[in-house]
């Protein structure tokens, strides 16, 4: 089955700096790659996603890049703010119109210090 | 519109006891999922359902059973709880159709389960 590796497991940055989280996946058939943010005591919330026919996607301060050949994708957060502090999960899936199940990385705990 | 709700929020069980976790969604989503989250392990899929009356096994199904008798509800059962099932359980739902065009899987707030 699909194996998703996520690095680093913890990341500390200063407010205003950029943060980058990287993931690799094993199944070349995977075609959908969402990123989730989980705040303490809450369920994960989708923040951005990308499909395999796209190399990069941006939404304000967050962006995701995908390299299908190397089977890795990354989350970039620019101008970080303290409220960005949370655990971030990447996931990979073989998605179809019949639905999909997500294979998650183990998470990155991001701390943004003022 | 409450989204995805889970009951109970927290529960303590003794080894061997049984319980049912309830997930409810009011978005008319076709697909529903149960995950467990353990420290350093990320989220792992237990069971899922692609529609009312259907269920399928995920990555870690042993020791759990599920039922989807109504479209809006997805129940996760533990017949004989074990300490290894101490975890935080998350339910998620998804609208039918191509992912990425909508907002992906919606997660509930979680149920924290402690098995002594």
């Amino acid at each position: 089955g699909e194996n998703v590796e996520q690095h680093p497991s913890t990341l500390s940055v200063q407010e205003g700096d950029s943060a980058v989280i990287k993931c690799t996946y094993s199944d070349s058939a995977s075609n959908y790659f969402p990123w989730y943010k989980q705040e303490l005591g809450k369920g994960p919330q989708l923040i951005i996603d990308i499909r395999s026919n796209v190399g990069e996607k941006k939404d304000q301060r967050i962006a995701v890049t995908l390299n299908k050949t190397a089977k890795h994708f990354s989350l970039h957060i620019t101008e970080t703010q303290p409220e960005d502090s949370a655990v971030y999960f990447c996931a990979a899936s073989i998605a179809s119109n019949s639905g999909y199940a997500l294979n998650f990385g183990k998470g990155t705990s991001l701390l943004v210090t003022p | 519109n409450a989204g995805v709700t889970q009951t109970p929020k927290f529960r303590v069980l003794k080894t061997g006891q049984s319980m049912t976790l309830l997930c409810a969604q009011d978005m008319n989503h076709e697909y529903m999922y149960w995950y467990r989250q353990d420290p350093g392990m990320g989220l792992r899929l237990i069971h899922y359902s692609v529609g009312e009356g259907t269920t399928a096994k995920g990555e870690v199904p042993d020791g759990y059973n599920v039922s989807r008798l109504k479209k809006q509800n997805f129940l996760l059962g533990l017949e004989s709880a074990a300490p290894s099932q101490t975890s935080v359980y998350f339910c998620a739902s998804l609208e039918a159709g191509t992912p990425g065009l909508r907002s992906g899987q919606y997660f509930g707030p979680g149920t924290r389960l402690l098995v002594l």
Side-chain angles (χ1 to χ4, degrees):
Chain A
E2 175 67 275
N3 182 43
V4 179
E5 300 278 343
Q6 183 172 348
H7 299 281
S9 56
T10 61
L11 180 58
S12 183
V13 300
Q14 287 212 312
E15 183 177 1
D17 287 350
S18 294
V20 180
I21 302 170
K22 298 182 179 181
C23 289
T24 61
Y25 61 98
S26 60
D27 192 339
S28 56
S30 290
N31 60 1
Y32 177 59
F33 308 92
W35 285 88
Y36 282 81
K37 176 183 181 182
Q38 186 178 26
E39 296 175 336
L40 199 61
K42 296 184 178 180
Q45 183 177 16
L46 180 71
I47 56 171
I48 195 167
D49 57 13
I50 192 168
R51 300 203 71 190
S52 58
N53 57 352
V54 175
E56 182 175 358
K57 185 176 178 181
K58 248 185 178 179
D59 183 5
Q60 298 182 330
R61 294 186 298 108
I62 60 173
V64 57
T65 59
L66 171 65
N67 183 327
K68 283 190 295 182
T69 304
K71 289 190 278 188
H72 66 70
F73 56 113
S74 300
L75 177 71
H76 304 253
I77 306 174
T78 59
E79 300 171 22
T80 54
Q81 301 166 3
E83 50 265 39
D84 293 329
S85 296
V87 179
Y88 291 81
F89 292 96
C90 64
S93 175
I94 302 171
S96 72
N97 287 342
S98 302
Y100 59 92
L102 294 170
N103 297 285
F104 284 89
K106 293 184 178 179
T108 295
S109 180
L110 173 64
L111 177 65
V112 181
T113 54
Chain B
N1 191 334
V4 179
T5 58
Q6 293 183 232
T7 52
K9 287 184 170 51
F10 176 69
R11 184 78 181 267
V12 179
L13 287 180
K14 293 181 180 178
T15 297
Q17 287 185 318
S18 63
M19 79 163 293
T20 299
L21 284 69
L22 171 63
C23 176
Q25 52 95 3
D26 61 2
M27 298 172 283
N28 201 36
H29 283 175
E30 202 66 36
Y31 313 125
M32 296 186 75
Y33 308 80
W34 276 107
Y35 294 89
R36 61 177 287 173
Q37 183 174 36
D38 303 293
M41 296 295 291
L43 291 106
R44 293 180 292 170
L45 182 65
I46 305 171
H47 285 281
Y48 64 101
S49 168
V50 299
E52 184 178 322
T54 73
T55 63
K57 294 181 179 179
E59 179 187 355
V60 288
D62 293 342
Y64 305 96
N65 57 76
V66 288
S67 64
R68 183 101 181 267
L69 298 179
K70 293 183 178 180
K71 186 177 184 179
Q72 63 268 32
N73 295 338
F74 195 27
L75 278 63
L76 178 71
L78 286 74
E79 289 188 351
S80 179
S84 60
Q85 294 177 303
T86 293
S87 188
V88 181
Y89 292 87
F90 288 100
C91 174
S93 71
L94 170 71
E95 187 175 4
T98 306
L101 297 181
R102 297 172 179 81
S103 49
Q105 289 189 11
Y106 285 86
F107 280 80
T111 293
R112 192 172 297 271
L113 177 65
L114 174 62
V115 183
L116 301 175

